[in-house]
Amino acid sequence: MPESEGKIKKKDFKIAVFAGDGIGVEIIQEALKVLKLISDTRNISLSLAEGSVGGSAYDLYGVPLPQQSLDLALHCDAILLGAVGGPKWESLDYSVRPERALLTLRQKLDLFTNLRPVVAFDELLDASPLKKEIVRGINIMIVRELTGDIYFGQPRGVSKEKDGRRIGINTMIYSEDEVRRIAVRAFEIAQKRKRNLVSVDKANILESSELWRDIVSEVGYNYPEVTLRHMYVDNCAMQLIRNPSQFDVILTTNLFGDILSDEAAMLTGSIGMLPSASLGNDKALYEPIHGSAPDIAGKNIANPLATILSAAMMMRYSLSMPQEADLLEKAVAQTIKEGFRTQDIYQQGKKLIGTEEMGNQVVKKLRKLLS
Ligand code: NAD
């Protein structure tokens, strides 16, 4: 139907929903409430197909990513995932650990771009362990390469030396093409933001980083309007604490991105606030950056906002609903502004609420914004 008639063209989307383990089960429910509201109030059909991954899948099927879950992931428009893992499965062989499900999904769907926006809400400045004046206004997009590096490189494993002592090996490896495609993504993103890109590596020590730096610089020649800086990862870890507002877009490797994004999470006050999108060429997976938080699972105290904000990223990148994504982010901001807090971001004088109530508050605000 033409837009001039005031209606949005009807769309049908299939979304694979993997709650996973621990708090994954609780937080995903809150994101689903939001998606159902969008589906009910907009001329769009979201079919939500639930599947099993992680430790709970291992308990049922003996593997963390059963074939039916992989098939579901391969035949949907987007995946929403809670979290996987927990102490119950820690003694399992690496090949069947819950976390393997994530690595396999990333690899099979070629989800090579991981976007981790780090945005400090004004109302949560007190929740950050850093001084307010350091974190105020930060808005960083971390672009992490997700399908290469030491997480996938061969050889890997633990083996015995001739003298019987064991050695552990992992291989840090990047091909030119892998670096080029993630660099192009990062420059494209930087172009739509403040045009300031910092590429993080360890080129003073590591050959794979030397190649990384060369290729990123090469790609940079095609984006003269973007200012490119190279930074060593140890310096970046320090700069994130010293002066985070110098960063607009950070491009980095799989390993360094994993660590730096957890560090950056604390700028916002809690890891429970940070969403992520993992994008391939035609597939995408959305999940909070935190894990299954076994220490607080089943208590209705986990913060569901990272997962809800991941659903907003899904609306923006996979469902062609940028306006609804903006409204959802606004609903989250309003909820925080009105003083509602889960325990991880709680400050005295605010309203302490649980996981479910936090989801309900966001839904309440979103319903108004959508009408
Ligand atoms: P974690 O992110 O689960 O928890 C770290 C700390 O942050 C804990 O104190 C936890 O209570 C808190 N936390 C995390 N999410 C929160 C939320 N939404 N609200 C409030 N507090 C929150 O990391 P961990 O403890 O190192 O790992 C636990 C398990 O999760 C492990 O098995 C690990 O392998 C797995 N893990 C999974 C993923 C994933 O599924 N993407 C990511 C990281 C870790």
Side-chain angles (χ1 to χ4, degrees), residues 23 83-86 99 102 271-272 287 290-296 302-303 344:
I23 62 167
V84 295
E99 294 77 6
L102 271 181
I271 199 165
E287 59 174 330
H290 59 72
S292 58
D295 52 332
I296 58 167
N303 186 345
D344 56 312

Side-chain angles (χ1 to χ4, degrees), residues 30 54 112 144 213 223 263 276 285 326 337 343:
E30 304 316 308
F112 65 91
R144 168 188 169 197
R213 192 174 275 221
Y223 299 87
E263 182 190 355
S276 82
L285 181 151
D326 287 349
K337 205 166 192 164
Q343 53 94 34

Side-chain angles (χ1 to χ4, degrees), residues 62-91:
V63 283
L65 183 66
Q67 187 61 44
Q68 60 269 35
S69 297
L70 179 58
D71 288 343
L72 181 57
L74 288 167
H75 299 101
C76 66
D77 297 295
I79 303 162
L80 185 66
L81 191 140
V84 295
K88 185 177 172 192
W89 304 284
E90 261 165 21
S91 56

